[in-house]
Amino acid sequence: MGAIPLPLLPASSGQVLAGAAGGALVRRSVLPGGIRVLTEAMPGLRSVTFGAWLGVGSRDEATGHHGSTHFLEHLLFKGTARRSAMDIAAAFDAVGGEANAVTGKEHTCYYARVLDEDLPMATDVICEMVAAATLAADDVESERGVILEELAMNDDDPSDVVHERFAEVVLGDHPLGRPIGGTPEKIRAVGRSDILAHYARHYVPAGLVVTAAGGLDHDAVCANVLDRLTAAGWSLEAEASPLPRRRATSEIVGAPDARVLVVPRPSEQANVILGTTALTATDPRRYALAVLNAVLGGGMSSRLFQEIRERRGLAYAVYSFASGHSDSGYFGLYAGCAPAKVDEVVSLLHRELDRLAADGLVDGELQRANGQLCGGLVLGLEDTGSRMSRLGKAELVQGEYVGLDEALDRIRSVTAADVEALAADLASRPRSLTVVGPFEPDRTFGGR
């Protein structure tokens, strides 16, 4: 079965996305209120991962609300009218489960992993948190301190800093360039009323996507979700349609020129990222980008690893990475090295990208990259959490469900010419450099 579109319809009995109609593995329904539910039944498993997704991230924060998305991620665990923060924590601890949340630039997800017999409890707690969070004034102030400590911890890690600042440099003034967690200044400034307004605007039935994978029954999940959200106070109208997905654009947003940012830190190692704008999350060339990434810096046999670490001994950690969003994306080459080696490392990062663009792949690279990606995809789907996450991204981002066989076929269909053409495209774009280390802000580094 190939890719299946996921239409934004009012309440419907559902779609079979994978498997036979009588014993479907993957199913999708649109409930009253426009709530979307996607499940993947995994026979033989006793665990389930349940997730509640909202298509709102740090890029969606209005002026004055910056930091609200991350703030809400914390506050929803502080309690509802029925449950205190201790009640929420104890509910999962008592059954050996775990609950957490993640905030992204374009979505937020609250999730729990429990035994199959405890799925009704997890559904009850997570749905109540999403639909009926208290957001008490005292909790806002106590959690403000917790978030500031989290930001301080991240700021003490140069590898976190370089990635965050790289996105800022490449994407420029676009909201995608803002830090996901907010800045200390924004977290101190955002008020409870701002957070409440952000919550009221974005945490609505038509924006909710529920995904679950493991030992479950789709119809039971839908019934439990509908029952729990109604009990939490949401009014669910049968004729309501889901909110539209973000619109992809043909023009990548980002900084128009190459930039260099030096973040002075008295560290023993310099953290370096060289990169540029890349592809959106729905660009058909994303499979070619995955192959390119595998060849250039995706593993121990990659060009960057072999040249910079194995042959020259210049770095311990070196790799490439890509990130795609609805209307932008970026591609970067990372290395952590001694400050005295930064010029040489930066030159090599430039050289390897240019060499791939000019000369293309060599014998064995395409086959090795295909094997790495296909094997990694299959192995990565052997747990309920990754499958739950895959369903959420299919609904919120891609707008289609791509079965495993179809995904493998798309990877294997990438040709050497596809990779070379994409490498030439990326190499022709303005390249920005971000360096965190013991340097002056106006320091320049070795180039092409």
Side-chain angles (χ1 to χ4, degrees), residues 382-408:
E382 290 198 345
D383 70 271
T384 59
S386 60
R387 290 183 181 246
M388 180 280 293
S389 181
R390 188 167 184 259
L391 293 176
K393 292 174 182 177
E395 180 63 48
L396 282 173
V397 180
Q398 273 84 35
E400 64 175 8
Y401 174 78
V402 179
L404 179 58
D405 289 341
E406 172 67 15
L408 295 175

Short mmCIF file of all heavy atoms in Angstrom, two decimals, residues 382-408:
data_model
loop_
_atom_site.label_atom_id
_atom_site.label_comp_id
_atom_site.label_asym_id
_atom_site.label_seq_id
_atom_site.Cartn_x
_atom_site.Cartn_y
_atom_site.Cartn_z
N GLU A 382 10.54 -0.24 15.90
CA GLU A 382 10.28 -1.41 16.72
C GLU A 382 9.87 -1.05 18.15
O GLU A 382 9.91 -1.90 19.04
CB GLU A 382 11.50 -2.34 16.73
CG GLU A 382 11.72 -3.03 15.39
CD GLU A 382 12.61 -4.25 15.49
OE1 GLU A 382 13.29 -4.41 16.52
OE2 GLU A 382 12.65 -5.04 14.52
N ASP A 383 9.49 0.19 18.38
CA ASP A 383 8.95 0.57 19.68
C ASP A 383 7.71 1.43 19.47
O ASP A 383 7.55 2.07 18.43
CB ASP A 383 9.99 1.31 20.53
CG ASP A 383 10.29 2.69 19.98
OD1 ASP A 383 11.21 2.80 19.14
OD2 ASP A 383 9.62 3.65 20.38
N THR A 384 6.83 1.43 20.45
CA THR A 384 5.55 2.11 20.29
C THR A 384 5.69 3.62 20.22
O THR A 384 4.90 4.29 19.56
CB THR A 384 4.62 1.73 21.46
OG1 THR A 384 5.23 2.11 22.71
CG2 THR A 384 4.35 0.23 21.48
N GLY A 385 6.70 4.17 20.89
CA GLY A 385 6.87 5.62 20.88
C GLY A 385 7.18 6.16 19.50
O GLY A 385 6.63 7.18 19.08
N SER A 386 8.07 5.51 18.77
CA SER A 386 8.43 5.98 17.44
C SER A 386 7.25 5.86 16.47
O SER A 386 7.05 6.71 15.60
CB SER A 386 9.64 5.21 16.91
OG SER A 386 9.36 3.83 16.83
N ARG A 387 6.45 4.82 16.64
CA ARG A 387 5.29 4.66 15.76
C ARG A 387 4.21 5.68 16.09
O ARG A 387 3.54 6.21 15.19
CB ARG A 387 4.75 3.24 15.86
CG ARG A 387 5.68 2.22 15.22
CD ARG A 387 5.12 0.81 15.25
NE ARG A 387 6.05 -0.14 14.64
CZ ARG A 387 5.82 -0.81 13.51
NH1 ARG A 387 4.69 -0.62 12.85
NH2 ARG A 387 6.71 -1.64 13.03
N MET A 388 4.01 5.97 17.36
CA MET A 388 3.08 7.02 17.75
C MET A 388 3.51 8.35 17.15
O MET A 388 2.70 9.10 16.60
CB MET A 388 3.03 7.11 19.28
CG MET A 388 2.09 8.17 19.85
SD MET A 388 2.74 9.87 19.86
CE MET A 388 4.07 9.73 21.04
N SER A 389 4.80 8.65 17.24
CA SER A 389 5.33 9.91 16.71
C SER A 389 5.19 9.98 15.20
O SER A 389 4.85 11.03 14.64
CB SER A 389 6.79 10.06 17.13
OG SER A 389 7.33 11.27 16.67
N ARG A 390 5.41 8.87 14.53
CA ARG A 390 5.30 8.84 13.06
C ARG A 390 3.88 9.17 12.62
O ARG A 390 3.67 9.88 11.63
CB ARG A 390 5.73 7.47 12.55
CG ARG A 390 5.86 7.35 11.04
CD ARG A 390 6.59 6.06 10.69
NE ARG A 390 6.82 5.95 9.26
CZ ARG A 390 6.08 5.20 8.44
NH1 ARG A 390 5.08 4.50 8.92
NH2 ARG A 390 6.34 5.15 7.14
N LEU A 391 2.89 8.67 13.34
CA LEU A 391 1.50 8.96 13.00
C LEU A 391 1.20 10.45 13.19
O LEU A 391 0.50 11.06 12.38
CB LEU A 391 0.57 8.12 13.87
CG LEU A 391 0.57 6.61 13.64
CD1 LEU A 391 -0.34 5.92 14.64
CD2 LEU A 391 0.16 6.27 12.22
N GLY A 392 1.71 11.03 14.27
CA GLY A 392 1.46 12.44 14.53
C GLY A 392 2.04 13.33 13.44
O GLY A 392 1.39 14.28 12.98
N LYS A 393 3.23 13.02 12.99
CA LYS A 393 3.86 13.83 11.95
C LYS A 393 3.19 13.62 10.60
O LYS A 393 3.10 14.56 9.79
CB LYS A 393 5.35 13.50 11.88
CG LYS A 393 6.11 13.95 13.12
CD LYS A 393 7.56 13.52 13.13
CE LYS A 393 8.25 13.96 14.42
NZ LYS A 393 9.65 13.48 14.49
N ALA A 394 2.70 12.42 10.34
CA ALA A 394 1.97 12.17 9.10
C ALA A 394 0.73 13.05 9.03
O ALA A 394 0.40 13.62 7.98
CB ALA A 394 1.58 10.70 9.00
N GLU A 395 0.04 13.16 10.16
CA GLU A 395 -1.20 13.95 10.19
C GLU A 395 -0.94 15.45 10.17
O GLU A 395 -1.57 16.20 9.43
CB GLU A 395 -2.00 13.58 11.44
CG GLU A 395 -3.31 14.34 11.59
CD GLU A 395 -4.29 14.05 10.47
OE1 GLU A 395 -4.51 12.87 10.15
OE2 GLU A 395 -4.83 15.02 9.90
N LEU A 396 -0.02 15.91 10.99
CA LEU A 396 0.20 17.35 11.14
C LEU A 396 1.08 17.95 10.06
O LEU A 396 0.92 19.10 9.68
CB LEU A 396 0.83 17.64 12.51
CG LEU A 396 -0.10 17.62 13.71
CD1 LEU A 396 0.69 17.76 14.99
CD2 LEU A 396 -1.14 18.74 13.61
N VAL A 397 2.04 17.17 9.58
CA VAL A 397 3.05 17.73 8.68
C VAL A 397 2.83 17.30 7.23
O VAL A 397 2.62 18.12 6.34
CB VAL A 397 4.47 17.33 9.13
CG1 VAL A 397 5.52 17.92 8.20
CG2 VAL A 397 4.71 17.77 10.57
N GLN A 398 2.90 15.99 6.98
CA GLN A 398 2.86 15.51 5.61
C GLN A 398 1.47 15.56 4.98
O GLN A 398 1.33 15.73 3.78
CB GLN A 398 3.39 14.07 5.51
CG GLN A 398 4.90 13.98 5.33
CD GLN A 398 5.63 14.05 6.66
OE1 GLN A 398 5.13 13.54 7.66
NE2 GLN A 398 6.79 14.66 6.67
N GLY A 399 0.43 15.35 5.79
CA GLY A 399 -0.91 15.29 5.22
C GLY A 399 -1.17 14.01 4.47
O GLY A 399 -2.14 13.90 3.71
N GLU A 400 -0.34 13.01 4.67
CA GLU A 400 -0.52 11.70 4.06
C GLU A 400 0.15 10.66 4.94
O GLU A 400 1.11 10.96 5.66
CB GLU A 400 0.08 11.64 2.65
CG GLU A 400 1.60 11.83 2.62
CD GLU A 400 2.21 11.64 1.24
OE1 GLU A 400 1.44 11.51 0.26
OE2 GLU A 400 3.45 11.64 1.13
N TYR A 401 -0.39 9.44 4.90
CA TYR A 401 0.25 8.34 5.60
C TYR A 401 1.04 7.52 4.60
O TYR A 401 0.50 7.03 3.60
CB TYR A 401 -0.79 7.44 6.28
CG TYR A 401 -0.17 6.21 6.89
CD1 TYR A 401 0.51 6.29 8.11
CD2 TYR A 401 -0.22 4.97 6.25
CE1 TYR A 401 1.11 5.17 8.67
CE2 TYR A 401 0.37 3.85 6.81
CZ TYR A 401 1.04 3.95 8.01
OH TYR A 401 1.63 2.85 8.56
N VAL A 402 2.35 7.41 4.83
CA VAL A 402 3.24 6.66 3.96
C VAL A 402 3.56 5.35 4.66
O VAL A 402 4.21 5.34 5.72
CB VAL A 402 4.53 7.44 3.65
CG1 VAL A 402 5.45 6.62 2.76
CG2 VAL A 402 4.19 8.78 3.00
N GLY A 403 3.09 4.24 4.10
CA GLY A 403 3.37 2.94 4.67
C GLY A 403 4.86 2.62 4.65
O GLY A 403 5.62 3.23 3.90
N LEU A 404 5.25 1.67 5.47
CA LEU A 404 6.66 1.33 5.57
C LEU A 404 7.23 0.89 4.23
O LEU A 404 8.31 1.33 3.83
CB LEU A 404 6.86 0.23 6.62
CG LEU A 404 8.31 -0.26 6.82
CD1 LEU A 404 9.22 0.89 7.22
CD2 LEU A 404 8.35 -1.36 7.87
N ASP A 405 6.54 0.02 3.51
CA ASP A 405 7.04 -0.45 2.23
C ASP A 405 7.20 0.69 1.23
O ASP A 405 8.17 0.76 0.48
CB ASP A 405 6.10 -1.52 1.64
CG ASP A 405 6.18 -2.83 2.41
OD1 ASP A 405 7.17 -3.04 3.14
OD2 ASP A 405 5.23 -3.64 2.30
N GLU A 406 6.22 1.61 1.24
CA GLU A 406 6.30 2.77 0.35
C GLU A 406 7.48 3.66 0.73
O GLU A 406 8.20 4.17 -0.15
CB GLU A 406 5.00 3.56 0.40
CG GLU A 406 5.02 4.90 -0.34
CD GLU A 406 5.14 4.77 -1.84
OE1 GLU A 406 4.93 3.65 -2.37
OE2 GLU A 406 5.45 5.78 -2.51
N ALA A 407 7.70 3.86 2.03
CA ALA A 407 8.82 4.69 2.47
C ALA A 407 10.15 4.06 2.05
O ALA A 407 11.07 4.76 1.59
CB ALA A 407 8.78 4.86 3.98
N LEU A 408 10.26 2.74 2.19
CA LEU A 408 11.49 2.06 1.76
C LEU A 408 11.68 2.18 0.26
O LEU A 408 12.81 2.39 -0.22
CB LEU A 408 11.43 0.59 2.18
CG LEU A 408 11.41 0.31 3.69
CD1 LEU A 408 11.21 -1.17 3.96
CD2 LEU A 408 12.69 0.80 4.35
#
